[in-house]
Amino acid sequence: MAQAPSKQQAKRISARERIQEAQRREQQAAKRRQRIVVTVSAVVVLALAGGVALAVNSASGKDDKASSAAASAPLVVPANASGPDGTVVTYGKADAPHTMAIYEDFRCPVCKHFEAANGETVRKLTEDGRIKVEFHLAAFLDKNLGGKGSRTALAAVGAALNEGVDKFKAFHDVLYANQPDEREDGFGDVDHLLDLAGQVPGLKTDAFVKAVTDRTYAPWAAKVSDAFNDSGVTGTPTVKVDGKQITLFAGNAVVPPEQFTAQVKQAAGLQ
């Protein structure tokens, strides 16, 4: 016949059970964290393999609006901003008859692949003045991955835009060329962003450094992010030409510049 445990034994059992319960909870938390990282990495692989954009739940992406820093600071719209409430960045000839709309998030690894393959092609397509580019920038990956890199980078980009559209585009390209691993939040470090800005000749003026350090354009970045969330676009990168969506991936690779160019010109009726 089994004997009931003594009080001392019961205390040891209770302590052991508490330790086991704490260990179980930590293991569950670790698995949840691992699932988040694995899911994001898997989405990147699938995006490249299956030709789809990195998914985003726009309806749940309103965390930027809730940012206390952005909510409490006055809204300052950078010079050279365009579109509704200054939430769009137009690159190229403003009165060009055709528009290429690009939807991106600076922390989006698939956007980096697109930019590496076709960023220069995008620039070249604006040279004859028939196509302009409108950048619609997002910050949803801060919520998906944690951290503040998308928002901080977007605010810094606002400071670059205030210096000039060409400065914006050059800084935009530098950010993608130096994008940190999606599991890290390197763009959340203002000093790191300022170091990267040093790669753009003439960008690091006193006004730019102060605006980045003071997060002057954080409220603007929140409005830009909200505009993306309200756009109906459900993934990044997304490219539309005169409202027609362009295929960015084929098989397991980004479409080459020739194919991308042909699609853009066909959508714009320039062939």
Side-chain angles (χ1 to χ4, degrees):
M1 178 180 295
Q3 295 181 340
S6 66
K7 289 184 178 180
Q8 187 174 4
Q9 289 174 324
K11 287 182 179 178
R12 286 199 297 269
I13 293 171
S14 177
R16 186 169 62 248
E17 288 176 342
R18 287 196 299 271
I19 292 172
Q20 290 173 341
E21 174 65 15
Q23 290 174 334
R24 184 183 66 81
R25 290 180 179 178
E26 175 55 29
Q27 288 172 351
Q28 289 178 335
K31 287 180 180 179
R32 284 195 297 271
R33 290 193 295 268
Q34 185 180 35
R35 280 199 298 271
I36 292 172
V37 172
V38 170
T39 298
V40 171
S41 299
V43 168
V44 173
V45 172
L46 288 172
L48 293 176
V52 296
L54 181 63
V56 49
N57 184 348
S58 295
S60 63
K62 300 295 186 179
D63 57 312
D64 288 339
K65 188 181 291 184
S67 170
S68 58
S72 60
L75 173 64
V76 180
V77 177
N80 308 302
S82 58
D85 298 321
T87 57
V88 177
V89 179
T90 300
Y91 177 78
K93 192 175 179 181
D95 60 353
H98 303 284
T99 301
M100 182 192 309
I102 299 180
Y103 299 81
E104 298 178 320
D105 185 312
F106 285 111
R107 289 182 74 182
C108 168
V110 190
C111 297
K112 177 180 179 178
H113 287 286
F114 167 71
E115 287 291 339
N118 285 308
E120 178 62 14
T121 304
V122 168
R123 186 192 65 77
K124 289 180 178 178
L125 283 165
T126 67
E127 288 181 340
D128 66 4
R130 294 185 294 175
I131 297 175
K132 64 178 176 291
V133 177
E134 290 185 349
F135 288 96
H136 302 263
L137 301 170
F140 67 88
L141 278 173
D142 285 348
K143 181 171 184 179
N144 289 14
L145 298 174
K148 58 182 181 179
S150 291
R151 288 170 291 169
T152 306
L154 184 48
V157 161
L161 180 61
N162 195 64
E163 297 291 321
V165 175
D166 289 343
K167 295 293 191 295
F168 155 81
K169 183 62 167 61
F171 190 40
H172 165 281
D173 295 351
V174 166
L175 290 179
Y176 277 115
N178 294 275
Q179 185 189 77
D181 185 281
E182 71 267 19
R183 292 164 294 186
E184 300 175 0
D185 192 29
F187 285 166
D189 181 353
V190 168
D191 289 335
H192 179 54
L193 291 173
L194 289 172
D195 286 341
L196 292 176
Q199 297 183 30
V200 179
L203 176 58
K204 286 184 70 174
T205 64
D206 290 343
F208 172 83
V209 172
K210 179 174 172 51
V212 173
T213 303
D214 294 348
R215 291 180 55 82
T216 300
Y217 296 105
W220 172 80
K223 287 186 71 67
V224 171
S225 178
D226 288 338
F228 172 89
N229 294 336
D230 293 336
S231 69
V233 171
T234 57
T236 58
T238 291
V239 175
K240 297 181 180 181
V241 175
D242 293 348
K244 306 176 187 72
Q245 189 156 333
I246 303 300
T247 299
L248 304 183
F249 301 93
N252 61 352
V254 183
V255 297
E258 298 79 8
Q259 185 177 341
F260 178 77
T261 299
Q263 288 188 82
V264 170
K265 289 186 175 180
Q266 182 178 12
L270 298 176
Q271 287 184 327

